[in-house]
Amino acid sequence: MDNERAEKIIQSDVFVNVNYHGIPVYIQEVNHDKAKVFPLDALHHEQEVDLAGLNESGPIILEVD
């Protein structure tokens, strides 16, 4: 993933599925070629990873009642 796309995902109002080597993650911050992320199933395990390991699998549309 490139820096510009990662920044757009962070700023998006739509939750976008992002994986780091197959593990679903949430991107908190982008700094050059690195991103601070945490796995969706382990919110307290913040990590700094290479953007090259991130890939996008599409948005999740949440319905609000």
Side-chain angles (χ1 to χ4, degrees), residues 1-3 5-7 9 17-18 27 51-56:
M1 177 175 295
D2 66 31
N3 188 302
R5 182 60 188 145
E7 286 287 352
I9 289 171
N17 285 325
V18 175
I27 304 172
L51 284 176
L54 295 174
N55 61 43
E56 174 182 356

Side-chain angles (χ1 to χ4, degrees), residues 5-49:
R5 182 60 188 145
E7 286 287 352
K8 286 182 180 178
I9 289 171
I10 291 171
Q11 296 169 7
S12 176
D13 292 335
V14 177
F15 184 84
V16 178
N17 285 325
V18 175
N19 294 303
Y20 180 68
H21 296 292
I23 299 168
V25 296
Y26 180 82
I27 304 172
Q28 290 184 298
E29 185 179 312
V30 176
N31 187 11
H32 303 289
D33 63 344
K34 301 280 187 182
K36 284 187 182 178
V37 303
F38 57 80
L40 295 181
D41 64 351
L43 304 180
H44 58 280
H45 285 289
E46 183 180 291
Q47 305 171 33
E48 186 172 86
V49 299

